[in-house]
Amino acid sequence: MTSRINIRPASTSYHSPDPHGFANTRPSTGYRAANPDHPLERIRAVAKQVEDTIEIYSQPLRPHLPTIGRFLIIVTFFEDALRIMTQWNDQLWYLQTHRHFYKGISHLFLLLNVITMLVASSAVLMKRYTEYAVIGLLSVVIIQGFGYGLMFDLTFFLRNLSVIGGLIMVFSETMVNEKKSFAGIPSMSETDRKKYFLLAGRVLLIFLFLGFIFQGEWGIGRVFMSVFGLAACTMVAIGFKAKWSAIFLVILLSVFNVFANNWWSVHSAHPQRDFLKYDFFQTLSIVGGLILLVNMGPGGLSVDEKKKTY
């Protein structure tokens, strides 16, 4: 007699060799690895290699960047104070004759400007009471604009916006290092204050190039500087590759400054000498602001910072 075997049907729940669906052969719509042979990827690889090389060889200079940047920003104020003292009678004559200042007022105006510029610039350089020194220098920029009747001159206005941008970068660096809160500023976190000041400084620094475009005669060199300079300025303003764009602008402005504002080659009696000298030192001030940007980075309100998040 054969034995009867009761075979039960298999359970509907069975073991799957791929319970999580990793073996799904359907094409994925997500991220795919970049093709290293693609021309764009090759350019990115070369750019990354160049960035790494510059980063390595610039390390010895990095600790000195804040001091260099600060000095270049305030050197225009030292030069301006020295010019007023050495041309005291000419300055008085201009204010009294063309700006209709009374004698006592013109003397007081020049004296206050000289004292403020010397004291505040020294304080910025020595990193003492920097926030108050920056406010003092900002007031000098504004008061001189109205006092000499240049506030509504477009080139002067745009250049001084860039100088103000450099001073704001000094102010931002002070907030980063000292982490103080200042009276009159709405209550917000230190990080928020820093990123808003850095944004303002970045945007104001680029106005120098707008002034450059609006003045002078056009040529091949001018077109080259305008196109590449504006592209770099836009990248600085939005904070995309801001450090490298700022380095490019530092090099471009330095070369331009030496060849275009070479006041030392003009005779001391020529009236153009003072204008070239003024432009030369103001451009140095803007270069200093860009160097501080290279040192600190673009801040939280920038494409570079957002790329780290996403």
Side-chain angles (χ1 to χ4, degrees), residues 136-154:
L137 293 176
L138 284 173
S139 66
V140 166
V141 172
I142 296 170
I143 290 170
Q144 282 194 355
F146 285 108
Y148 287 96
L150 298 171
M151 185 57 72
F152 300 104
D153 179 89
L154 182 61

Side-chain angles (χ1 to χ4, degrees), residues 149-169:
L150 298 171
M151 185 57 72
F152 300 104
D153 179 89
L154 182 61
T155 303
F156 174 88
F157 181 72
L158 293 175
R159 279 182 171 273
N160 276 277
L161 282 180
S162 291
V163 173
I164 290 172
L167 291 172
I168 290 176
M169 296 302 291

Side-chain angles (χ1 to χ4, degrees), residues 63-286:
H64 307 290
L65 287 182
T67 303
I68 295 171
R70 282 170 172 258
F71 174 75
L72 291 178
I73 287 171
I74 55 91
V75 72
T76 186
F77 296 100
F78 277 130
E79 187 277 331
D80 199 20
L82 181 62
R83 180 169 51 84
I84 291 175
M85 289 188 291
T86 55
Q87 300 177 1
W88 185 264
N89 291 329
D90 293 336
Q91 296 286 328
L92 288 175
W93 176 83
Y94 176 82
L95 290 174
Q96 293 170 9
T97 305
H98 294 280
R99 301 300 300 162
H100 309 293
F101 276 54
Y102 293 111
K103 285 187 178 181
I105 300 297
S106 60
H107 285 74
L108 183 62
F109 177 81
L110 293 178
L111 186 62
L112 286 176
N113 272 275
V114 169
I115 293 174
T116 303
M117 286 189 288
L118 290 178
V119 173
S121 298
S122 300
V124 167
L125 198 57
M126 294 185 296
K127 299 184 179 180
R128 301 294 301 272
Y129 305 106
T130 307
E131 60 274 14
Y132 303 109
V134 168
I135 293 172
L137 293 176
L138 284 173
S139 66
V140 166
V141 172
I142 296 170
I143 290 170
Q144 282 194 355
F146 285 108
Y148 287 96
L150 298 171
M151 185 57 72
F152 300 104
D153 179 89
L154 182 61
T155 303
F156 174 88
F157 181 72
L158 293 175
R159 279 182 171 273
N160 276 277
L161 282 180
S162 291
V163 173
I164 290 172
L167 291 172
I168 290 176
M169 296 302 291
V170 174
F171 195 87
S172 302
E173 188 201 25
T174 303
M175 296 176 66
V176 172
N177 292 337
E178 298 181 5
K179 295 187 177 180
K180 291 182 180 180
S181 58
F182 304 102
I185 298 179
S187 178
M188 63 176 72
S189 71
E190 192 66 30
T191 303
D192 287 339
R193 279 199 294 267
K194 180 182 69 175
K195 69 183 182 183
Y196 285 119
F197 276 107
L198 283 172
L199 173 63
R202 288 198 330 258
V203 172
L204 289 175
L205 277 172
I206 69 172
F207 277 94
L208 169 72
F209 259 91
L210 296 180
F212 172 76
I213 290 173
F214 290 138
Q215 66 175 359
E217 298 179 358
W218 285 94
I220 297 176
R222 189 180 184 81
V223 171
F224 171 83
M225 278 196 64
S226 297
V227 171
F228 286 93
L230 276 176
C233 285
T234 303
M235 292 170 71
V236 165
I238 65 175
F240 176 67
K241 295 290 183 183
K243 285 189 177 184
W244 303 107
S245 303
I247 290 173
F248 173 77
L249 286 175
V250 166
I251 297 170
L252 188 65
L253 283 175
S254 299
V255 173
F256 167 79
N257 207 23
V258 170
F259 287 100
N261 297 323
N262 52 344
W263 55 271
W264 52 87
S265 64
V266 180
H267 193 274
S268 58
H270 198 287
Q272 189 67 17
R273 180 184 172 92
D274 277 345
F275 289 104
L276 289 174
K277 197 174 184 180
Y278 174 79
D279 289 346
F280 178 84
F281 283 100
Q282 275 215 325
T283 304
L284 283 185
S285 180
I286 296 156

Side-chain angles (χ1 to χ4, degrees), residues 8-16:
R8 295 181 180 181
S11 174
T12 55
S13 61
Y14 61 92
H15 172 72
S16 171

